[in-house]
């Protein structure tokens, strides 16, 4: 065992990073599949990659991350269907996040522990990317992704020999700072919640990673950026639109319920998105999960720089 560790120590960090980027690009490709399939309740494993246009299987040679999209100029080779620019962006993000994870975890050299840490950081950051796009499309954060992020937070504490109590307190604080003011109190004051339960669960997972103060920092970062994006959207478009998929799903459910479908009526009765939002800015529905995820990534990779910049006294 000792001998193997010494051999691993001889591996240059640069070599590991090159391998990590290729590994990250491949997982980025998997992430694009997960973003498309998880909200529809489909398996992310089988079948293999299929064209969104015509459903035919994609030849692995035409599925090379980023490059395939560039060579095909954003069109499927089978039927010419447009491949959204989000696909190569998520793939490239996979590569970039794998590089950053190595950069952060391998400062002390290449060891089994450092590689495991890099892997945990990478998996969490890619999970945050998947949650971002699903929430943008559907205004919902799948529990599975949030639980995975929480489990990776626990693994992160274990690998860094951190204090468990800090993570546990962080989870409670993270949940409470979203739930108490923005769901519980907001609903009593205005009759509908200001944030989703998914946002509270997500910030609980963030608290497992960074502790209570870190969770609050992530919430503040997310709120600042969310406000800026909302203002910019209003300036440019004049209003904040609901995602297409949410509008479509609601119309389908209302049509079914009108025909007497009990299942659809039941879903509508429990769904906070069952009614179209009230007109005007106060009723605008903007997914907050993406901002929490972006702030999580910022805190994960830039915590030291952000603390030095924003709170120079600390
Ligand atoms: Zn096709």
């Amino acid at each position: 065992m000792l001998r193997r560790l010494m051999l691993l120590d001889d591996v240059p960090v640069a070599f590991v990073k090159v391998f990590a980027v290729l590994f990250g690009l491949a997982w980025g490709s998997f992430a694009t599949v997960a973003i498309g399939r998880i909200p529809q309740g489909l398996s992310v494993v089988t079948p293999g990659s299929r064209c969104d246009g015509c459903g035919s299987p994609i030849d692995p040679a035409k599925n090379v991350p980023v490059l395939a999209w560039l060579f095909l100029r954003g069109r499927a080779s089978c039927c010419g269907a447009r491949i959204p620019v989000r696909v190569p962006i998520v793939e490239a993000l996979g590569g970039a996040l794998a590089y950053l994870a190595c950069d952060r975890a391998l400062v002390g050299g290449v060891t089994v522990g450092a590689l495991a840490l890099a892997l945990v950081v990478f998996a969490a950051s890619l999970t945050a990317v998947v949650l971002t796009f699903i929430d943008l499309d559907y205004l919902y954060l799948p529990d599975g992704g949030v639980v995975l992020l929480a489990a990776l937070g626990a693994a992160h504490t274990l690998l860094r020999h951190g204090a468990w109590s800090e993570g546990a307190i962080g989870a409670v604080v993270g949940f409470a700072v979203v739930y108490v003011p923005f769901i519980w109190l907001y609903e009593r004051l205005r009759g509908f919640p200001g944030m989703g339960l998914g946002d509270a669960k997500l910030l609980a997972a963030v608290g497992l990673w960074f502790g209570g103060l870190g969770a609050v920092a992530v919430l503040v970062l997310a709120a600042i950026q969310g406000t800026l994006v909302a203002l910019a959207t209003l300036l440019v478009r004049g209003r904040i639109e609901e995602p297409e998929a949410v509008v479509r799903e609601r119309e389908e459910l209302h049509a079914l319920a009108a025909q007497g479908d009990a299942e659809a009526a039941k879903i509508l009765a429990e769904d906070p998105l069952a009614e179209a939002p009230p007109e005007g800015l106060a009723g605008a529905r903007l997914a907050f999960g993406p901002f929490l995820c972006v702030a999580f990534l910022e805190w994960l990779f830039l915590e030291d720089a952000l603390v030095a910049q924003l709170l120079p006294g600390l």
Side-chain angles (χ1 to χ4, degrees), residues 46-112:
T46 53
S49 291
R50 309 230 156 205
C51 170
D52 281 335
C54 66
S56 46
I58 300 176
D59 179 0
K62 288 175 181 150
N63 207 9
V64 181
V66 187
L67 293 180
W69 190 89
L70 291 174
F71 280 122
L72 296 168
R73 293 201 196 87
R75 295 214 172 260
S77 60
C78 38
C79 60
R82 193 173 276 285
I83 306 168
V85 69
R86 158 198 295 198
V87 169
I89 288 176
V90 170
E91 290 167 346
L93 272 174
L97 291 170
Y99 178 87
L100 289 173
C102 284
D103 208 41
R104 205 192 105 142
L106 303 181
V107 272
V110 183
T111 63
V112 175

Side-chain angles (χ1 to χ4, degrees), residues 17-43:
K17 283 182 177 170
V18 170
F19 177 80
V21 169
L22 298 175
F23 177 85
L25 286 166
W27 279 98
S29 185
F30 173 80
T32 64
V33 175
I35 290 164
R37 291 188 188 174
I38 289 172
Q40 301 182 51
L42 301 173
S43 161

Side-chain angles (χ1 to χ4, degrees), residues 185-269:
L185 187 63
Y186 203 99
E187 185 148 23
R188 262 144 203 82
L189 294 176
R190 299 197 55 192
F192 56 93
M195 282 191 199
L197 201 52
D199 297 321
K201 293 184 211 165
L202 179 58
L203 203 62
V206 170
L208 266 173
W209 273 85
F210 307 137
L213 274 179
V216 171
V218 165
L219 179 63
V220 171
L221 275 176
I224 293 170
Q225 292 168 99
T227 307
L228 291 176
V229 168
L231 288 175
T233 309
L234 282 172
L235 279 176
V236 174
R237 297 220 191 122
R239 58 169 300 172
I240 294 171
E241 307 272 353
E242 274 192 303
E244 263 173 60
V246 173
V247 177
R248 197 167 0 124
E249 203 166 278
R250 176 164 58 232
E251 280 166 2
E252 282 168 13
L253 282 170
H254 277 293
L256 281 171
Q259 288 166 18
D261 188 313
E263 184 72 16
K266 187 167 169 279
I267 295 172
L268 282 172

